[in-house]
Amino acid sequence: MKNYQRLLSACVLAGLLSSCDNSSQIDPKKQTGADPELPKAQNFLMPPMKVPEGIPWKSGEMPKVADGLKIEKIAEGLKHPRQVYVLPNNDVLVAESNGPAKKLIFRPKELIMGMVQKSSGKGGEGGNRITLLRNTGGKWEKHTFIAHVNSPFGIQLTGNTLWIASADSLIKYPYQTGETEITAPGEVVTQLPGGPINHHWTKSLLASPDGSKLYVGVGSNSNITENGIGAEDRRAAILEVDAATGASRIFASGLRNPTGLQWEPQSGKLWAVVNERDEIGSDLVPDYMTSVQEHGFYGWPYSYYGQHVDERVKPPRPDLVEKAIKPDYAISSHVAPLGLLFYTGENMPQYRDGAFVSEHGSWNRKPLNGYQVMWVKFENGKPVGLPQPVVTGFLTDDQKQVRGLPVGLAMDKQGGVLIADDAGNVVWRVSKAQ
């Protein structure tokens, strides 16, 4: 860590002092909701970088929860748990993974950025497996459910078929209720955008209510097409895959990194949380959650928040900018939302009619932003008001150290909310206090 600190204290490269002074000028609350405040974009030879030091949870330490709630650890010693998925019998599946090992570096900036981000605990080997957790009288068993998966992320069950979205393919496995291991080889249903770059390798996954379609969130292969527009084929998009044939099409596009795919329970519409672009300032661009329209285009890379043109992208596409859809709800800049959960349980009734969002945390903003699980109220199928912090304490109060990074969210059969803690290598469960 000291080497990273020395690197950062020198502002990453000698002479790039301008990148050390780019602190946020806007209250995050003003960048929340339907009409976020958007300042003028800035340009940097080296973008601002700020991350806390990654440290493990100490014995007895836990995140903080809102009044009326409690939190407990149900699994530890995992290898980068990314997603949690609750099966009909209340077993919990956990996707353990980090990015694929092979990664090409094209610019010195990418190398430095990678070093900076890993210092907060985002580095390290992933499990490349699906682990099953089972509650047996208050004690949680841990079983290797599916081994040797290439950076798994999305998980869905339809009937007796378990679907896993890996870094480069959608795979299906036969599933029987109660089993603690699947040894049958998976069948690749369709290839997903991957390759040696695979910038956003995580592939989120959601089944249609009738199980006939699978929706896959595929992030961009760059920040704003610096690897070439050809590297973005079928990326920055949500793909719709036919479960029977594997045939796929682009359902919606212009979404830089769509994840946390969910059906909003009142309207029945598809929703996603989206990680927006970096490197144009601490206050640009706000990440967001939005309903997703079929055939809709949401701006990336040519514009953001509707018709705000990103001047870095050449050649420009005014025709696409004109049709870009403005997202429904901003959740402030650089929080890195990765999990979305519409809460429908009875255990915590104060959170019904709303959505939990996990914020993995910023690296391109000063001061830091995110590092929490928050909740947003919904009315008539739309988010309203300001977010409420629900699970905090991943980041120390002085913002110098981080213990965990929340990613996937799920609700168990008792109405508890499960949180995959990426850097902490833990799965947490939040429920009402007794």
Side-chain angles (χ1 to χ4, degrees):
M1 180 61 198
K2 290 182 179 179
N3 289 334
Y4 295 129
Q5 291 174 330
R6 293 191 187 103
L7 189 64
L8 290 172
S9 67
C11 295
V12 186
L13 287 174
L16 297 179
L17 296 177
S18 61
S19 72
C20 295
D21 299 322
N22 178 51
S23 296
S24 169
Q25 303 299 313
I26 299 178
D27 185 336
K29 292 180 180 178
K30 294 182 178 180
Q31 291 198 305
T32 300
D35 294 297
E37 183 176 331
L38 302 176
K40 183 179 179 180
Q42 303 177 60
N43 290 309
F44 304 93
L45 178 59
M46 182 64 63
M49 301 182 195
K50 180 178 175 61
V51 296
E53 176 190 9
I55 60 171
W57 292 100
K58 295 178 183 177
S59 177
E61 276 188 335
M62 294 185 181
K64 303 172 185 178
V65 292
D67 290 345
L69 303 179
K70 67 176 182 179
I71 188 166
E72 58 187 318
K73 182 192 300 180
I74 68 169
E76 61 184 338
L78 301 165
K79 288 188 173 182
H80 287 287
R82 297 284 184 160
Q83 287 292 341
V84 279
Y85 184 83
V86 179
L87 293 167
N89 69 341
N90 218 30
D91 285 346
V92 177
L93 299 183
V94 184
E96 298 177 67
S97 59
N98 214 343
K102 184 179 180 182
K103 184 175 182 180
L104 300 182
I105 301 295
F106 291 97
R107 301 174 296 161
K109 178 170 65 175
E110 294 175 3
L111 176 62
I112 298 170
M113 289 164 61
M115 292 170 60
V116 169
Q117 293 181 52
K118 286 179 180 179
S119 69
S120 65
K122 297 178 182 179
E125 181 184 2
N128 288 331
R129 64 193 175 205
I130 305 297
T131 292
L132 182 141
L133 307 178
R134 175 171 292 172
N135 190 343
T136 57
K139 180 180 179 181
W140 286 87
E141 297 177 350
K142 186 165 59 175
H143 304 269
T144 298
F145 193 60
I146 305 175
H148 310 301
V149 187
N150 181 26
S151 296
F153 194 76
I155 307 172
Q156 290 284 284
L157 177 69
T158 61
N160 294 319
T161 301
L162 185 70
W163 305 84
I164 305 296
S166 76
D168 55 12
S169 58
L170 178 62
I171 312 166
K172 68 178 182 180
Y173 297 85
Y175 169 76
Q176 294 182 6
T177 300
E179 62 187 352
T180 58
E181 181 182 16
I182 292 179
T183 57
E187 177 186 343
V188 174
V189 176
T190 188
Q191 297 294 326
L192 300 174
I197 303 176
N198 213 0
H199 177 66
H200 286 119
W201 58 270
T202 54
K203 305 298 192 292
S204 51
L205 186 63
L206 179 68
S208 63
D210 66 359
S212 65
K213 301 286 192 280
L214 281 304
Y215 294 87
V216 185
V218 182
S220 65
N221 223 349
S222 63
N223 184 33
I224 39 90
T225 70
E226 59 269 20
N227 294 325
I229 195 65
E232 305 299 342
D233 183 41
R234 291 166 58 82
R235 285 183 172 269
I238 295 174
L239 306 181
E240 182 187 73
V241 180
D242 183 79
T245 67
S248 65
R249 68 181 180 108
I250 295 176
F251 181 82
S253 60
L255 301 147
R256 180 174 174 266
N257 186 20
T259 186
L261 306 182
Q262 290 279 285
W263 301 108
E264 197 282 316
Q266 186 168 351
S267 66
K269 291 182 178 179
L270 177 63
W271 277 71
V273 289
V274 178
N275 291 234
E276 255 290 358
R277 67 204 73 196
D278 299 309
E279 303 182 35
I280 51 177
S282 285
D283 296 316
L284 286 178
V285 172
D287 298 322
Y288 60 87
M289 62 177 172
T290 192
S291 57
V292 181
Q293 300 179 27
E294 185 175 4
H295 306 302
F297 175 73
Y298 290 80
W300 190 89
Y302 304 103
S303 67
Y304 52 89
Y305 268 85
Q307 284 68 49
H308 293 83
V309 175
D310 192 328
E311 302 290 350
R312 297 173 294 176
V313 184
K314 305 296 181 183
R317 287 289 304 270
D319 56 323
L320 291 178
V321 171
E322 183 179 5
K323 64 185 281 189
I325 298 170
K326 182 181 176 183
D328 287 295
Y329 189 90
I331 49 180
S332 75
S333 294
H334 307 302
V335 298
L338 293 179
L340 175 65
L341 173 66
F342 289 103
Y343 187 74
T344 58
E346 301 293 340
N347 184 269
M348 299 181 288
Q350 67 270 42
Y351 296 111
R352 286 182 63 88
D353 302 318
F356 291 102
V357 176
S358 64
E359 299 175 353
H360 203 234
S362 62
W363 66 270
N364 185 214
R365 186 182 190 275
K366 297 190 296 184
L368 298 172
N369 202 12
Y371 300 94
Q372 66 173 351
V373 177
M374 59 86 160
W375 178 85
V376 179
K377 183 177 177 59
F378 270 59
E379 290 181 354
N380 301 316
K382 293 286 186 179
V384 296
L386 292 174
Q388 300 178 22
V390 178
V391 188
T392 58
F394 294 96
L395 187 66
T396 55
D397 292 340
D398 60 9
Q399 293 201 343
K400 292 182 178 180
Q401 296 178 315
V402 63
R403 307 173 182 94
L405 300 169
V407 187
L409 303 172
M411 185 182 74
D412 64 22
K413 302 306 178 183
Q414 290 74 41
V417 172
L418 308 178
I419 305 168
D421 179 349
D422 171 21
N425 294 319
V426 169
V427 173
W428 305 102
R429 182 179 187 269
V430 178
S431 60
K432 68 178 180 181
Q434 299 299 325

